[in-house]
Amino acid sequence: MDKIDRKIINLLQMNARASLKELSKECFISSPAIAARINKLEKAGVINGYHSTIDMEKIGFHVRAFIQVQLEPRQKKEFYPYVQSIPNVVECNCVTGDYSEIMEVVFPSTTDLDDFINIIQQRFGKTSTQIVFSTSVNHRGIRLDNDDDQPE
């Protein structure tokens, strides 16, 4: 990956809808060259999707929370398919520490969140929940350096 690839990645992280023409202008190479580079980055798995950022509150999901779950290793076989089937679970990660899983969830109300937590506790065990009051840094991409001396 060279500095042009890194610049393309940075630009797409800021605006995934940027046109080939806009990217071409920023990178000082032709639109077909940009398209070829993006295609190469997609095939390599560097770019694995294009997403819209949605304001969850504006579509009725007023409660955002992080739920930690203490699982036994044998429970993962049942837990993973279950949480994948719940659309309110927007992310789930296996982590270190006292709790083995942490989920980010969104719900219309605290009552809906409470119902979900009760199901998780009954099926899988101990949880710890933190409700989000505000967010100082929204999810964002990672800025890649464009230094000429960065390894390719």
Side-chain angles (χ1 to χ4, degrees):
M1 191 168 24
D2 63 13
K3 75 180 201 174
I4 295 173
D5 289 336
R6 289 190 292 274
K7 184 159 190 161
I8 291 168
I9 291 167
N10 287 335
L11 292 167
L12 288 174
Q13 285 183 112
M14 290 186 295
N15 178 9
R17 293 185 62 177
S19 70
L20 292 176
K21 185 177 179 181
E22 291 168 325
L23 296 171
S24 173
K25 184 177 176 182
E26 289 288 327
C27 295
F28 304 105
I29 62 173
S30 70
S31 293
I34 291 286
R37 285 174 175 268
I38 290 172
N39 189 35
K40 182 183 87 175
L41 291 167
E42 289 171 345
K43 284 183 177 174
V46 174
I47 297 174
N48 59 30
Y50 298 88
H51 310 278
S52 297
T53 303
I54 307 299
D55 184 328
M56 290 295 177
E57 286 191 29
K58 290 185 179 172
I59 60 170
F61 293 88
H62 302 284
V63 179
R64 186 167 145 227
F66 291 92
I67 303 170
Q68 298 176 70
V69 184
Q70 202 172 60
L71 289 180
E72 296 295 324
R74 63 178 167 68
Q75 293 176 293
K76 290 181 180 183
K77 191 181 258 186
E78 179 187 354
F79 179 77
Y80 290 152
Y82 175 72
V83 295
Q84 286 176 350
S85 74
I86 305 298
N88 302 77
V89 177
V90 296
E91 187 170 358
C92 183
N93 296 284
C94 182
V95 296
T96 61
D98 294 335
Y99 294 87
S100 57
E101 302 291 327
I102 185 166
M103 295 181 283
E104 180 181 355
V105 300
V106 293
F107 285 94
S109 69
T110 54
T111 303
D112 295 321
L113 172 63
D114 186 45
D115 291 343
F116 178 70
I117 292 168
N118 287 332
I119 291 168
I120 294 293
Q121 288 174 336
Q122 290 169 11
R123 285 184 74 170
F124 301 104
K126 186 176 175 186
T127 66
S128 174
T129 302
Q130 295 79 40
I131 295 176
V132 175
F133 288 144
S134 65
T135 301
S136 57
V137 177
N138 283 310
H139 184 79
R140 59 184 178 189
I142 187 76
R143 177 102 177 128
L144 300 179
D145 289 335
N146 272 334
D147 296 342
D148 290 327
D149 59 359
Q150 184 155 350
E152 294 183 18

